[in-house]
PDB file of all heavy atoms in Angstrom:
ATOM      1  N   LEU A 126      -1.121  49.694  18.612  1.00  0.00           N
ATOM      2  CA  LEU A 126       0.289  49.991  18.371  1.00  0.00           C
ATOM      3  C   LEU A 126       1.041  50.289  19.645  1.00  0.00           C
ATOM      4  O   LEU A 126       0.420  50.344  20.709  1.00  0.00           O
ATOM      5  CB  LEU A 126       0.289  51.246  17.416  1.00  0.00           C
ATOM      6  CG  LEU A 126      -0.422  51.157  16.090  1.00  0.00           C
ATOM      7  CD1 LEU A 126      -0.391  52.490  15.404  1.00  0.00           C
ATOM      8  CD2 LEU A 126       0.339  50.146  15.199  1.00  0.00           C
ATOM      9  N   HIS A 127       2.357  50.406  19.479  1.00  0.00           N
ATOM     10  CA  HIS A 127       3.225  50.844  20.589  1.00  0.00           C
ATOM     11  C   HIS A 127       3.057  49.888  21.863  1.00  0.00           C
ATOM     12  O   HIS A 127       2.947  50.417  22.986  1.00  0.00           O
ATOM     13  CB  HIS A 127       2.931  52.374  20.944  1.00  0.00           C
ATOM     14  CG  HIS A 127       2.973  53.185  19.805  1.00  0.00           C
ATOM     15  ND1 HIS A 127       4.038  53.372  18.921  1.00  0.00           N
ATOM     16  CD2 HIS A 127       1.975  53.982  19.264  1.00  0.00           C
ATOM     17  CE1 HIS A 127       3.715  54.227  17.901  1.00  0.00           C
ATOM     18  NE2 HIS A 127       2.465  54.522  18.112  1.00  0.00           N
ATOM     19  N   THR A 128       3.121  48.661  21.627  1.00  0.00           N
ATOM     20  CA  THR A 128       2.855  47.718  22.738  1.00  0.00           C
ATOM     21  C   THR A 128       4.047  47.776  23.759  1.00  0.00           C
ATOM     22  O   THR A 128       3.853  47.525  24.948  1.00  0.00           O
ATOM     23  CB  THR A 128       2.717  46.292  22.240  1.00  0.00           C
ATOM     24  OG1 THR A 128       3.868  45.923  21.448  1.00  0.00           O
ATOM     25  CG2 THR A 128       1.445  46.195  21.378  1.00  0.00           C
ATOM     26  N   HIS A 129       5.315  47.926  23.296  1.00  0.00           N
ATOM     27  CA  HIS A 129       6.453  47.904  24.133  1.00  0.00           C
ATOM     28  C   HIS A 129       6.478  49.144  25.153  1.00  0.00           C
ATOM     29  O   HIS A 129       6.651  49.003  26.297  1.00  0.00           O
ATOM     30  CB  HIS A 129       7.687  47.822  23.328  1.00  0.00           C
ATOM     31  CG  HIS A 129       7.726  46.849  22.269  1.00  0.00           C
ATOM     32  ND1 HIS A 129       7.435  45.513  22.508  1.00  0.00           N
ATOM     33  CD2 HIS A 129       7.917  46.942  20.892  1.00  0.00           C
ATOM     34  CE1 HIS A 129       7.514  44.822  21.399  1.00  0.00           C
ATOM     35  NE2 HIS A 129       7.727  45.654  20.321  1.00  0.00           N
ATOM     36  N   GLU A 130       6.048  50.306  24.568  1.00  0.00           N
ATOM     37  CA  GLU A 130       5.848  51.452  25.506  1.00  0.00           C
ATOM     38  C   GLU A 130       4.755  51.251  26.421  1.00  0.00           C
ATOM     39  O   GLU A 130       4.908  51.571  27.595  1.00  0.00           O
ATOM     40  CB  GLU A 130       5.531  52.719  24.541  1.00  0.00           C
ATOM     41  CG  GLU A 130       6.598  53.252  23.756  1.00  0.00           C
ATOM     42  CD  GLU A 130       6.799  52.580  22.403  1.00  0.00           C
ATOM     43  OE1 GLU A 130       6.297  51.463  22.183  1.00  0.00           O
ATOM     44  OE2 GLU A 130       7.601  53.133  21.510  1.00  0.00           O
ATOM     45  N   ALA A 131       3.740  50.604  25.967  1.00  0.00           N
ATOM     46  CA  ALA A 131       2.550  50.352  26.924  1.00  0.00           C
ATOM     47  C   ALA A 131       2.930  49.447  28.001  1.00  0.00           C
ATOM     48  O   ALA A 131       2.530  49.681  29.157  1.00  0.00           O
ATOM     49  CB  ALA A 131       1.386  49.807  26.010  1.00  0.00           C
ATOM     50  N   VAL A 132       3.672  48.447  27.750  1.00  0.00           N
ATOM     51  CA  VAL A 132       4.108  47.490  28.743  1.00  0.00           C
ATOM     52  C   VAL A 132       4.988  48.201  29.779  1.00  0.00           C
ATOM     53  O   VAL A 132       4.773  48.002  31.005  1.00  0.00           O
ATOM     54  CB  VAL A 132       4.938  46.307  28.080  1.00  0.00           C
ATOM     55  CG1 VAL A 132       5.808  45.642  29.169  1.00  0.00           C
ATOM     56  CG2 VAL A 132       3.994  45.348  27.441  1.00  0.00           C
ATOM     57  N   LEU A 133       5.850  49.119  29.298  1.00  0.00           N
ATOM     58  CA  LEU A 133       6.763  49.851  30.379  1.00  0.00           C
ATOM     59  C   LEU A 133       5.900  50.806  31.120  1.00  0.00           C
ATOM     60  O   LEU A 133       6.010  50.995  32.349  1.00  0.00           O
ATOM     61  CB  LEU A 133       7.821  50.579  29.540  1.00  0.00           C
ATOM     62  CG  LEU A 133       8.912  49.585  28.933  1.00  0.00           C
ATOM     63  CD1 LEU A 133       9.935  50.380  28.046  1.00  0.00           C
ATOM     64  CD2 LEU A 133       9.664  48.851  29.989  1.00  0.00           C
ATOM     65  N   ALA A 134       4.930  51.470  30.459  1.00  0.00           N
ATOM     66  CA  ALA A 134       4.039  52.458  31.186  1.00  0.00           C
ATOM     67  C   ALA A 134       3.171  51.863  32.183  1.00  0.00           C
ATOM     68  O   ALA A 134       2.952  52.340  33.207  1.00  0.00           O
ATOM     69  CB  ALA A 134       3.225  53.236  30.207  1.00  0.00           C
ATOM     70  N   ALA A 135       2.777  50.549  31.904  1.00  0.00           N
ATOM     71  CA  ALA A 135       1.838  49.823  32.846  1.00  0.00           C
ATOM     72  C   ALA A 135       2.691  49.205  33.952  1.00  0.00           C
ATOM     73  O   ALA A 135       2.157  48.719  34.943  1.00  0.00           O
ATOM     74  CB  ALA A 135       1.148  48.845  32.014  1.00  0.00           C
ATOM     75  N   GLY A 136       4.039  49.172  33.831  1.00  0.00           N
ATOM     76  CA  GLY A 136       4.819  48.544  34.933  1.00  0.00           C
ATOM     77  C   GLY A 136       4.678  46.993  34.913  1.00  0.00           C
ATOM     78  O   GLY A 136       4.914  46.446  35.863  1.00  0.00           O
ATOM     79  N   ASP A 137       4.409  46.421  33.714  1.00  0.00           N
ATOM     80  CA  ASP A 137       4.183  45.017  33.562  1.00  0.00           C
ATOM     81  C   ASP A 137       5.542  44.266  33.968  1.00  0.00           C
ATOM     82  O   ASP A 137       6.638  44.819  33.650  1.00  0.00           O
ATOM     83  CB  ASP A 137       3.754  44.625  32.210  1.00  0.00           C
ATOM     84  CG  ASP A 137       2.346  45.039  31.878  1.00  0.00           C
ATOM     85  OD1 ASP A 137       1.691  45.521  32.771  1.00  0.00           O
ATOM     86  OD2 ASP A 137       1.935  44.870  30.698  1.00  0.00           O
TER      87      ASP A 137
END
Side-chain angles (χ1 to χ4, degrees):
L126 301 173
H127 311 301
T128 58
H129 311 306
E130 286 86 345
V132 159
L133 292 172
D137 292 354

